[in-house]
Amino acid sequence: MIPIGRLLIGGLALFVGAASAQEAMHTQAATMPSPGTFVLREMLHYTEFGTNASAGIASTEQYRWTSALQYGVARDWSLLVDVPVMFRDDELLGGGGDSDAGVGDIDVLAKWRFYREDSGDINTKRAALIFGARVASGDDDDFSSQSVNPTIGGVYTVVRGRHGFNQDLFYRLNTGGDPDHNFGGESLDDAILHNSSWVYRLFPARYTSETEGAWYSTVELSGIYEFNGDYEARGSAGFMYEGRRWAIEAMVQLPVVDELDERAELDVAVGFGLRFTF
Amino acid sequence: MRSLFVIFPLSTVILAAAFAGCAGESAQQQPADSEHAVTQDDLRLVESTQPVRSDSVVLWVNGLGCPQCASNIDLQLARLPGVKGVRVDLGGGKVDVGLSGDSRPSPHDFAEAVTDAGFTLVKIEGAR
């Protein structure tokens, strides 16, 4: 039975973001909270985008506060809800500007870990299927697609000693969208999204019986292909401190490949995050 | 589309190669990140459904790769009847469990709780 207090906290925490252990800021991991446990993740991303000529926008600054909650519903099963609160400031090509704030579409996903092989005291290999939808938030067209967009994908995780590797791949079936406010995978076209991450434990080099937390470096490569032909790959580097019940993380993201005709490219992004297990 | 079919497999291969190389190096430098020594008797004992009589046991667990793993496992073990304390030793891949009261879990109950937490119990000490 789910304790009511936890449910209330979980409900209030919908304005926050979720993840599990060994997880960098963009790449999923085949890890999850155990049954009856919540992980709450709060992330703030500041992003600068370049010109979107078709929308008449010279540049965009975006603040995205993501609240994600993940709940372990059963052995190898968890549910994720991810709610972004956005502020966007556009500089228009014709001069002047436009600002708006609102709630972006909400990700509602289930994660099923179908493979786990724990081969040593630390070493493990895991794989999970992730499926669900990006659901309209009900906000205006600047932030919501006003549609339900099914998403399916998977992630493979390997941890060996100080090194962790995650690879995810998703297909998003976009049934709606807004080409003028598309910042990657948010237009009317379907999208393929892929993320790779390498998480390296900086300190301690070896766990001891006294270890309560660990510092990690993170390196990620994230790609978005849209079926209008646009493709963008972004690289990010950051760090993470993971304690037993909480974690902090930060990253900087830069463009690696820009082959974009229909939307603005990323100039730079920085992100900060907090994570709690309860 | 061409870039997707170049970047995605390339990133996977490069990261996997880097990972394999670094992990190999890591394994040489850190012999402690290794397999627990487990016998067939240990594995049989883990399946026992007889309640534990002692006031403490040590669980040898595989897959404890990060500090947050510890919270998953202690939250699950704390729900078992008779468990009064849990201490996770990431360095040894072991979990010390204190027990009290008349109602006690069996090694099989411990194994199920560890599996619920997302890990593998391979040996239990002090359960007889």
Side-chain angles (χ1 to χ4, degrees):
Chain A
M1 179 175 292
I2 303 169
I4 291 186
R6 283 192 179 189
L7 257 187
L8 286 173
I9 294 170
L12 290 171
L14 282 180
F15 289 94
V16 196
S20 309
Q22 293 280 354
E23 192 164 324
M25 290 190 80
H26 304 101
T27 314
Q28 291 276 351
T31 55
M32 61 183 62
S34 58
T37 305
F38 287 98
V39 174
L40 179 65
R41 192 180 198 179
E42 305 264 4
M43 288 192 291
L44 176 64
H45 279 90
Y46 167 77
T47 311
E48 292 181 3
F49 293 98
T51 302
N52 182 348
S54 59
I57 297 170
S59 64
T60 300
E61 290 183 345
Q62 177 178 277
Y63 295 85
R64 179 187 178 101
W65 181 280
T66 308
S67 298
L69 186 70
Q70 186 174 5
Y71 177 68
V73 290
R75 178 184 295 178
D76 298 323
W77 280 91
S78 66
L79 292 176
L80 303 88
V81 178
D82 192 309
V83 183
V85 178
M86 325 267 287
F87 172 79
R88 204 176 277 155
D89 188 17
D90 296 325
E91 187 179 319
L92 304 177
L93 283 170
D98 184 25
S99 318
D100 203 358
V103 180
D105 284 350
I106 297 164
D107 284 323
V108 181
L109 300 167
K111 187 192 282 190
W112 171 47
R113 183 171 54 211
F114 60 86
Y115 170 72
R116 176 171 61 84
E117 182 185 335
D118 298 326
S119 57
D121 50 2
I122 288 176
N123 303 340
T124 187
K125 299 173 198 164
R126 291 145 190 248
L129 182 69
I130 301 173
F131 56 94
R134 178 164 281 193
V135 181
S137 65
D139 209 306
D140 64 28
D141 289 344
D142 285 356
F143 296 103
S144 175
S145 65
Q146 311 297 351
S147 59
V148 175
N149 306 310
T151 303
I152 186 164
V155 57
Y156 183 65
T157 293
V158 181
V159 177
R160 187 177 165 84
R162 298 169 73 176
H163 305 271
F165 170 64
N166 297 297
Q167 176 71 61
D168 73 30
L169 180 66
F170 288 93
Y171 186 92
R172 186 181 300 146
L173 180 69
N174 283 333
T175 60
D178 180 6
D180 287 346
H181 295 92
N182 173 24
F183 294 94
E186 297 162 341
S187 72
L188 293 164
D189 301 288
D190 292 355
I192 294 172
L193 304 98
H194 66 85
N195 297 280
S196 310
S197 72
W198 177 30
V199 179
Y200 176 68
R201 175 160 36 91
L202 298 168
F203 182 82
R206 289 174 64 166
Y207 290 135
T208 69
S209 59
E210 306 302 317
T211 300
E212 291 291 327
W215 287 95
Y216 297 87
S217 62
T218 59
V219 178
E220 292 181 276
L221 182 67
S222 305
I224 306 170
Y225 174 77
E226 293 166 277
F227 281 81
N228 56 18
D230 279 3
Y231 179 73
E232 183 179 32
R234 304 167 176 177
S236 55
F239 72 87
M240 174 172 69
Y241 175 82
E242 191 176 287
R244 297 206 170 186
R245 294 287 167 88
W246 60 277
I248 56 170
E249 55 198 340
M251 69 88 209
V252 176
Q253 189 177 51
L254 294 167
V256 176
V257 174
D258 279 334
E259 292 179 355
L260 303 175
D261 296 320
E262 308 291 332
R263 65 177 175 86
E265 77 281 4
L266 172 94
D267 284 342
V268 64
V270 292
F272 304 93
L274 279 170
R275 214 186 311 159
F276 304 97
T277 301
F278 56 96
Chain B
M1 189 80 176
R2 192 183 307 160
S3 293
L4 171 68
F5 286 113
V6 173
I7 296 288
F8 173 64
L10 198 60
S11 67
T12 306
V13 168
I14 289 173
L15 277 175
F19 174 81
C22 294
E25 180 189 341
S26 171
Q28 288 172 3
Q29 291 171 352
Q30 297 184 75
D33 296 337
S34 59
E35 294 183 22
H36 287 306
V38 178
T39 66
Q40 288 299 316
D41 284 345
D42 294 330
L43 294 174
R44 271 194 291 274
L45 178 59
V46 165
E47 293 304 313
S48 168
T49 54
Q50 294 298 313
V52 172
R53 287 186 222 140
S54 60
D55 289 336
S56 67
V57 293
V58 179
L59 310 179
W60 295 43
V61 177
N62 274 358
L64 279 176
C66 59
Q68 202 170 21
C69 305
S71 69
N72 259 349
I73 206 163
D74 66 16
L75 288 168
Q76 289 303 312
L77 291 171
R79 292 174 186 168
L80 294 175
V83 170
K84 67 173 183 181
V86 178
R87 182 177 167 278
V88 180
D89 172 5
L90 284 174
K94 297 176 185 175
V95 184
D96 298 317
V97 182
L99 298 161
S100 66
D102 294 333
S103 180
R104 303 290 185 90
S106 67
H108 179 72
D109 294 332
F110 281 118
E112 289 293 297
V114 170
T115 304
D116 278 346
F119 308 99
T120 305
L121 178 62
V122 293
K123 185 175 179 177
I124 180 166
E125 285 181 345
R128 295 183 195 278

